[in-house]
Amino acid sequence: MAAHRLRQSVGRLFAMGPELGSGRRAFSAFQAFTEVLRLPSKQLTKLVFPLEELHEHFVPGSRPDLHLNIFHPSLEDIARAESFFTASARNRIEYLTSAVRLDHAPDLHRPEVCFIGRSNVGKSSLIKALFSLAPEVEVRVSKKPGHTKKLNFYKVGKYFTLVDMPGYGYRAPEDFVDMVETYLKERKNLMRTFLLVDSVVGIQKADNIAIEMCEEFALPYVMVLTKIDKPSKGHLLKQVLQIQKFVDTKTQGCFPQLFPVRGQQEAVTRLPSESSWLH
């Protein structure tokens, strides 16, 4: 069904013309996603809507206490989001600076989103995938946990600033709590926090601390499930349902739907469009 809906809206996307861009820039911006649309329906659904196929494992009425909220963006939303991360002369995407404390951070007026998670959860890989259409932006990915030690700021055109936070847990910076807590509490232009959770192991004690900070500071945040291609379907379903139940019953500021992300080699993100991040 999801793949059918996507293909139905292909014509609407390219009929939008000036609204999404024109000429060569529009083609280059959407070329990567249009390649995905050529895949067979089953592959297309698995790649673009990876949680959709888990529905077949449900026995109707067997677990009425559990449900799965699945994010279903339109084709236009996905293409528009891709255009935000496509570098051009009029849409500059670049690394800005790094900071070890909030008072060292740049004074920026555009909206800001940050990515936070345990060491080795796949945060740098996800950010690198987001910037894949801006190859001049270097995002270092290390196999060793705790590689990111500072707050790294990236400009995403005129739309927003993306902040890569140090990982918490193993090999976290000694001043991690002061650095991150101060940023989350006092950064006035922070609009959305993306909290990454490893789908193999689920929510850990260290994740609970980050969740508590987001809740205490009344921050709107989203849970992103990483490495969904690693566990078996059964294990992934169990983790997804447990995390979904946690979000439904234990949080107030968390976006109700989970966003799954594959591993580094085939990192296809399922994040919302820029407009839904900032409102």
Side-chain angles (χ1 to χ4, degrees):
M1 284 296 295
H4 179 64
R5 288 197 306 272
L6 282 176
R7 286 201 168 90
Q8 277 188 324
S9 58
V10 172
R12 296 201 308 272
L13 169 65
F14 293 104
M16 294 177 73
E19 182 179 343
L20 294 180
S22 59
R24 185 173 179 180
R25 179 171 178 266
F27 175 77
S28 63
F30 308 134
Q31 188 173 15
F33 189 64
T34 54
E35 289 295 323
V36 174
L37 290 174
R38 296 191 180 96
L39 294 172
S41 294
K42 189 172 182 179
Q43 284 182 267
L44 177 61
T45 300
K46 183 177 180 180
L47 200 60
V48 182
F49 296 100
L51 294 187
E52 184 98 355
E53 63 178 349
L54 294 182
H55 273 253
E56 66 187 50
H57 296 276
F58 281 106
V59 176
S62 62
R63 296 295 301 271
D65 59 320
L66 295 177
H67 64 283
L68 183 60
N69 291 321
I70 298 180
F71 181 61
H72 285 300
S74 67
L75 180 61
E76 292 89 343
D77 286 335
I78 297 175
R80 186 177 289 111
E82 184 177 71
S83 73
F84 297 146
F85 287 94
T86 302
S88 70
R90 302 180 67 179
N91 189 54
R92 295 192 62 180
I93 300 174
E94 58 188 342
Y95 163 79
L96 292 175
T97 188
S98 297
V100 294
R101 297 202 311 265
L102 183 59
D103 56 1
H104 291 172
D107 184 15
L108 303 171
H109 300 291
R110 68 174 65 90
E112 208 157 85
V113 300
C114 76
F115 286 67
I116 186 171
R118 287 192 308 115
S119 298
N120 205 34
V121 74
K123 181 165 51 64
S124 295
S125 295
L126 172 55
I127 294 173
K128 186 178 180 69
L130 286 172
F131 290 146
S132 62
L133 296 177
E136 66 278 7
V137 178
E138 182 179 359
V139 180
R140 295 184 61 189
V141 177
S142 175
K143 293 183 179 180
K144 296 181 179 180
H147 172 74
T148 304
K149 299 294 185 184
K150 301 178 181 180
L151 306 173
N152 297 317
F153 295 79
Y154 298 88
K155 176 184 176 183
V156 183
K158 62 181 180 181
Y159 303 108
F160 56 90
T161 302
L162 186 153
V163 184
D164 182 10
M165 310 283 280
Y168 50 80
Y170 180 66
R171 294 191 66 186
E174 293 182 3
D175 55 349
F176 173 84
V177 174
D178 291 337
M179 182 194 310
V180 172
E181 184 175 12
T182 303
Y183 171 85
L184 293 177
K185 184 178 182 179
E186 300 182 11
R187 192 66 167 176
K188 301 300 183 184
N189 56 333
L190 177 61
M191 297 292 109
R192 190 63 53 98
T193 297
F194 290 89
L195 198 160
L196 276 62
V197 175
D198 190 328
S199 65
V200 178
V201 298
I203 297 174
Q204 301 291 291
K205 289 183 179 180
D207 297 314
N208 276 313
I209 296 174
I211 292 169
E212 289 171 4
M213 283 196 290
C214 290
E215 293 285 334
E216 180 182 350
F217 303 146
L219 299 175
Y221 64 105
V222 174
M223 279 200 197
V224 179
L225 305 186
T226 64
K227 308 177 183 179
I228 65 165
D229 51 318
K230 302 298 182 183
S232 66
K233 288 183 180 179
H235 183 75
L236 177 61
L237 177 62
K238 179 182 177 181
Q239 292 289 3
V240 166
L241 291 177
Q242 287 179 348
I243 296 170
Q244 184 75 71
K245 185 176 182 180
F246 179 92
V247 170
D248 292 345
T249 61
K250 304 292 186 182
T251 71
Q252 293 183 343
C254 188
F255 192 74
Q257 293 156 328
L258 309 176
F259 295 98
V261 179
R262 298 183 185 277
Q264 180 181 357
Q265 298 303 316
E266 48 177 345
V268 175
T269 63
R270 291 273 289 100
L271 300 183
S273 68
E274 178 263 352
S275 60
S276 60
W277 289 6
L278 308 181
H279 293 87

